[in-house]
Amino acid sequence: MPDPSSIEAKVAERALEYLLAPPSGDDAVINLSSPDELVAAFDGNAGLGFDAVASGETDEHVLAAVDQVLHSSVRTVHPRFMNQNFAGPDPVSVVGDWLGAALNTTAATFEAAPVFTLMESALLSKLARVAGYLPAAASPLPALPPGLFAPGGSSATLYALQLARHRRNPEVVRTGIGTERLVLFVSDAGHYAATKSAAMLGLGTDAVIKVASDFEGAIMPEALADAVVAAKGRGETPFAVIGTAGTTVTSAFDDLNAVADVCVEHDLWFHVDGCYGGSALFSPKHRHLLDGVERSDSFVWNLHKMMGMTQQCSALLVRDPSQLAPCFAGHADYLFQPDKLNADYDSGDRTFQCARRVDALKLWLSWKVRGDEGFAARVEHAYDMAAYTRSRITESGGAFAVVVPGSFTNVVFAWVPPDLRPLELANGTAAQLDQETMDRLHALPPTIKAQMQAEGTGMIGYQPIHGLNTFRMLFMNPAVSTDDVDAILAAIERYGAATLSH
Ligand SMILES: *Cc1c(COP(=O)(O)O)cnc(C)c1O
């Protein structure tokens, strides 16, 4: 038995307690401190910084510091944390992550990670079958898996675009880019991972052509077709299109079949960014939102968002896994000796990374515990909470107005001061407001949010959309109840009224 009085056991005990008896209801989501206050809070214990000579601290000091970490960190497990596209980690995934860390290895070789190599293959095969990339009867353990796990959706996007360019010109891997002006397309509501990747690939951010989206945030397919033709007319070489399955702000889904048609017509690589909305595929009720994904060449799916895996857990699925090695291989002869046992199972030469975390383990564990039905329930709960929020806004007597009602898990809305009610803000009507009203509404979310943080009542994101700062309610955490939605809306009203009375 491990010594329960050891520092490791005590820290682990605190983590487990946080995880299994999580804060909820009126518990604080955050104990807000300024950077200076935070530093000062560690003064009496182990201290936050390191002196030029840093001696080991006593267990007592270290534990006091750990308690401070717990006190001052954001409780993302709290059902009133609705700030971002992750929340409420599945506790099974958290302990899976710990187990993976304890077994500390790299997923690069079968030699060092025999079980994890097979687990990754099993998961990629299952995900590919769920997405329709592979037939339902395909091998549950393919020797060459249909993709790999990547350290986050942005990295996976970079890998996908590298593959896309590789198909256009396999020589670039060796010779570097030439003078051909390669361009790609994504909607103007798509994720910034596209422009960052273009910068890193040496294409430049100007190589990303932003295509108009509708008021919900879904790409306009005719605008895409026109943009491709226009780029060709300018002498540029289109090579890829990114279709977004679930935009970050409004959870809008591009019509993937329409995007696929454009890609077929112009022989372009079709990448699907399903970082956020890919998990709709788990739900028989909602998987139709991704119809057409099976026609794509690559697909990125963040399991650390809606599915509650710890960050990160991102799957990159590819139609043709045989191209991963020519695109990424470094042929390190000290790792990938062709004459060792089971060398053909090594994934290390199919990715950019050298050491790679075993992100597959936590997903494998969670999926084995929850089953397909548990995964579907998580997505459907998120959808149901968003639908409840939409109905609460409709029945709010004008106190709230939707800006983008959304058709999935996100609702984008504004709080409306009493003297402006009723106010129509949906479908771009906000753009017709007079400047003074616009300025008033625009200034409210930051002030309301700051009060909410100061009291620790909740955390909710806001962002400008159609030129107006708006709140975004989104649902990731299965512990969120209608009471939590009501509490957040009531808090917004309370802080909004307080702002006006100042
Ligand atoms: C979150 C997100 C990404 C980026 O994923 P990371 O894992 O945060 O790098 C890409 N696209 C969309 C639509 C996202 O919501």
Side-chain angles (χ1 to χ4, degrees), residues 85 151-157 189-193 244-249 273-277 300 302 304-305 311-312 314:
N85 308 52
S154 302
S155 307
T157 303
H191 195 269
Y192 63 88
T244 307
T247 56
T248 315
V249 175
D273 176 353
C275 282
Y276 187 35
V300 182
N302 277 354
H304 62 249
K305 286 186 167 165
Q311 301 183 77
Q312 284 106 2
S314 299

Side-chain angles (χ1 to χ4, degrees), residues 55 89 107 110 139 204 209 232 291 303 305 314 335 388 472 486:
S55 313
F110 182 90
S139 164
I209 297 175
K232 286 184 169 174
D291 281 353
L303 287 309
K305 286 186 167 165
S314 299
L335 270 180
Y388 173 77
R472 173 187 59 174
D486 293 346

Side-chain angles (χ1 to χ4, degrees), residues 203-428:
L203 301 171
T205 54
D206 289 350
V208 180
I209 297 175
K210 305 271 174 67
V211 179
S213 58
D214 60 22
F215 288 122
E216 291 272 326
I219 202 167
M220 305 223 254
E222 316 75 50
L224 171 64
D226 291 350
V228 173
V229 172
K232 286 184 169 174
R234 292 191 298 270
E236 297 166 353
T237 307
F239 76 106
V241 179
I242 301 177
T244 307
T247 56
T248 315
V249 175
T250 64
S251 65
F253 287 77
D254 289 352
D255 177 343
L256 298 181
N257 272 311
V259 174
D261 290 343
V262 174
C263 291
V264 169
E265 187 184 339
H266 295 278
D267 188 26
L268 305 175
W269 181 279
F270 177 24
H271 174 69
V272 173
D273 176 353
C275 282
Y276 187 35
S279 294
L281 286 168
F282 288 127
S283 159
K285 279 189 206 155
H286 302 299
R287 57 169 296 127
H288 66 90
L289 292 166
L290 283 107
D291 281 353
V293 67
E294 69 286 350
R295 296 171 63 189
S296 63
D297 296 292
S298 55
F299 175 36
V300 182
W301 188 346
N302 277 354
L303 287 309
H304 62 249
K305 286 186 167 165
M306 216 165 286
M307 300 321 293
M309 296 303 111
T310 59
Q311 301 183 77
Q312 284 106 2
C313 189
S314 299
L316 166 65
L317 297 178
V318 294
R319 167 150 321 282
D320 180 7
S322 74
Q323 289 311 297
L324 286 166
C327 195
F328 290 110
H331 310 289
D333 57 8
Y334 70 96
L335 270 180
F336 309 115
Q337 309 87 338
D339 40 7
K340 71 175 174 184
L341 289 177
N342 302 307
D344 47 339
Y345 277 86
D346 290 356
S347 65
D349 247 0
R350 296 198 291 269
T351 175
F352 170 73
Q353 291 169 269
C354 176
R356 203 156 59 87
R357 283 173 53 85
V358 292
D359 290 329
L361 172 60
K362 58 200 179 191
L363 177 61
W364 183 88
L365 201 63
S366 175
W367 208 330
K368 289 289 179 187
V369 171
R370 313 271 175 223
D372 291 351
E373 61 282 12
F375 276 21
R378 194 166 170 123
V379 174
E380 284 161 19
H381 169 267
Y383 176 87
D384 292 346
M385 286 297 115
Y388 173 77
T389 307
R390 286 188 271 272
S391 72
R392 277 298 318 271
I393 289 174
T394 311
E395 294 154 11
S396 68
F400 297 99
V402 287
V403 177
V404 180
S407 46
F408 192 45
T409 52
N410 294 21
V411 188
V412 172
F413 65 99
W415 178 74
V416 182
D419 62 296
L420 294 178
R421 296 174 197 168
L423 195 60
E424 170 67 31
L425 293 174
N427 298 329

